[in-house]
Amino acid sequence: MNSTALKIVDNVGLAFVGKRSVIEKIVVAILSSGHVLIEDVPGVGKTTLVQAIAKSLGCSFKRIQFTPDLLPSDITGISVYNSKTGNFEFKEGPIVANVILADEINRSSPKTQSSLLEAMQEGQITVDGMTYKLPQPFVVLATQNPIEYEGTFPLPEAQLDRFAMRVKIGYPDFEEEKNILKFQEKPSEKIDAVITAQEVIKLREDIKDIHVENSLEDYIISIVQATRKHPDIYLGCSPRGSLALFNASRGLAFIRNRDYVLPDDVKELAQVVLNHRIILKPEARMKGKTVSDVVSSILDSIRVPVVRSNG
């Protein structure tokens, strides 16, 4: 593994026990300029994971607890009248930070959820007609509980599509849960930054130099286009899905210390990059099929290209 990526993953592992593959995928998304939706049941460490990642990256961190009464201005900020100067002054909201934890994002109304769209896509916010650039790097790590539906507002497809990945943590195994008992209070406070925000920006630029063969680009496009034609799929992936899979594959190759992408990189990431962008037909769901099953069948049906190392 790339030495810098290894430092990040190992450091996060000091606070978040187990699930190393989950940590790696989130690091891949961040380094490839993507946002992540962490979807799992309460108590598996979603918040601890995000806090540990932000601290490891040496980035500014803000947590936004989404609730039904949260307003868009509570996130972006507001303009306040200054009686001394006679002017309105912008008071920034918690969105102005490098790493944003949008905790339980599906508990707020769609109007409030949509306040993140411009920030996630453009890296900026607009308040009262004025546009403000957000600090770089900028990444949203959102969490949601897939079990509870009372008082929640499912994320619309347009917002889900902004997330490069949707990952699930899952329950720890016996030994991992035994180790969790030893950490107890705020394990993220025990770790320090291993890189800086400027180094994260540099790594993002380095990843853009990772080589992707034309045949592998065709492979990515074939997978995404197959989701639009599959008989069990009502809504397939948009071109943003192709971009997300392309960029994430370069990110995975980078942390695996390669300067070229392999088909295995694409296959490893296809589920977490594409599954939240697909809606199954009702009849497919009634037959017990899942999005994961359909994506797996698509991967099995498409010829895998042979790729040689760059140079």
Side-chain angles (χ1 to χ4, degrees):
M1 181 181 285
N2 175 276
S3 58
T4 305
L6 181 62
K7 284 195 299 184
I8 299 171
V9 174
D10 286 346
N11 200 57
V12 173
L14 296 176
F16 183 78
V17 178
K19 309 300 179 184
R20 189 178 179 86
S21 63
V22 174
I23 300 173
E24 288 182 5
K25 286 182 173 64
I26 295 177
V27 170
V28 165
I30 292 172
L31 296 184
S32 54
S33 305
H35 308 284
V36 184
L37 177 63
I38 306 171
E39 183 181 83
D40 221 312
V41 297
V44 294
K46 299 187 292 292
T47 302
T48 298
L49 173 58
V50 174
Q51 289 174 334
I53 288 173
K55 201 163 186 180
S56 298
L57 298 179
C59 292
S60 58
F61 170 73
K62 295 285 182 65
R63 174 180 177 174
I64 306 172
Q65 184 65 50
F66 280 67
T67 56
D69 60 347
L70 194 71
L71 298 175
S73 58
D74 295 328
I75 296 175
T76 59
I78 58 174
S79 295
V80 178
Y81 180 73
N82 188 327
S83 59
K84 293 182 179 179
T85 63
N87 297 319
F88 282 91
E89 298 177 355
F90 175 61
K91 300 296 183 182
E92 63 185 37
I95 194 70
V96 184
N98 296 124
V99 180
I100 304 298
L101 168 56
D103 214 0
E104 295 185 300
I105 190 173
N106 58 333
R107 289 203 172 278
S108 286
S109 67
K111 181 178 181 180
T112 301
Q113 292 172 4
S114 66
S115 65
L116 289 174
L117 289 177
E118 183 184 13
M120 294 172 67
Q121 187 67 28
E122 308 294 339
Q124 65 184 33
I125 54 174
T126 301
V127 179
D128 294 335
M130 296 293 292
T131 299
Y132 303 92
K133 289 289 183 182
L134 294 171
Q136 295 298 318
F138 175 77
V139 59
V140 173
L141 303 177
T143 70
Q144 70 173 5
N145 179 359
I147 303 300
E148 293 180 358
Y149 294 102
E150 188 71 27
T152 62
F153 303 86
L155 292 174
E157 283 67 42
Q159 179 122 9
L160 284 172
D161 207 28
R162 260 62 173 197
F163 288 100
M165 296 182 188
R166 181 176 67 178
V167 301
K168 298 178 184 293
I169 296 175
Y171 288 116
D173 61 28
F174 186 89
E175 288 301 321
E176 289 171 348
E177 193 156 359
K178 190 174 180 180
N179 288 330
I180 289 172
L181 299 181
K182 300 176 182 178
F183 280 89
Q184 298 296 318
E185 299 298 328
K186 297 184 179 179
S188 59
E189 293 182 355
K190 300 177 182 179
I191 64 174
D192 298 312
V194 293
I195 62 173
T196 65
Q198 288 303 314
E199 287 178 298
V200 175
I201 295 173
K202 174 66 166 56
L203 291 174
R204 286 182 167 187
E205 291 300 317
D206 292 342
I207 284 175
K208 294 178 181 178
D209 295 329
I210 300 296
H211 176 71
V212 185
E213 280 197 8
N214 287 335
S215 61
L216 205 47
E217 292 179 357
D218 295 343
Y219 181 56
I220 291 171
I221 294 171
S222 297
I223 292 171
V224 172
Q225 291 202 344
T227 67
R228 305 169 193 165
K229 305 171 185 176
H230 198 282
D232 290 328
I233 295 178
Y234 172 73
L235 178 67
C237 297
S238 70
R240 192 180 282 121
S242 301
L243 284 169
L245 188 54
F246 178 84
N247 291 330
S249 298
R250 290 195 300 186
L252 184 60
F254 178 81
I255 75 165
R256 296 279 166 83
N257 218 23
R258 279 186 272 106
D259 62 356
Y260 57 94
V261 175
L262 292 175
D264 285 345
D265 298 327
V266 178
K267 295 181 74 172
E268 183 174 341
L269 293 171
Q271 290 284 358
V272 294
V273 172
L274 303 181
N275 62 13
H276 59 291
R277 306 172 193 273
I278 293 172
I279 299 178
L280 293 183
K281 291 180 179 178
E283 51 266 36
R285 294 198 302 270
M286 291 178 65
K287 293 177 182 177
K289 293 184 179 180
T290 65
V291 172
S292 180
D293 295 334
V294 174
V295 172
S296 294
S297 69
I298 289 173
L299 292 174
D300 292 339
S301 67
I302 297 177
R303 186 182 67 84
V304 179
V306 177
V307 175
R308 294 176 294 176
S309 63
N310 184 27

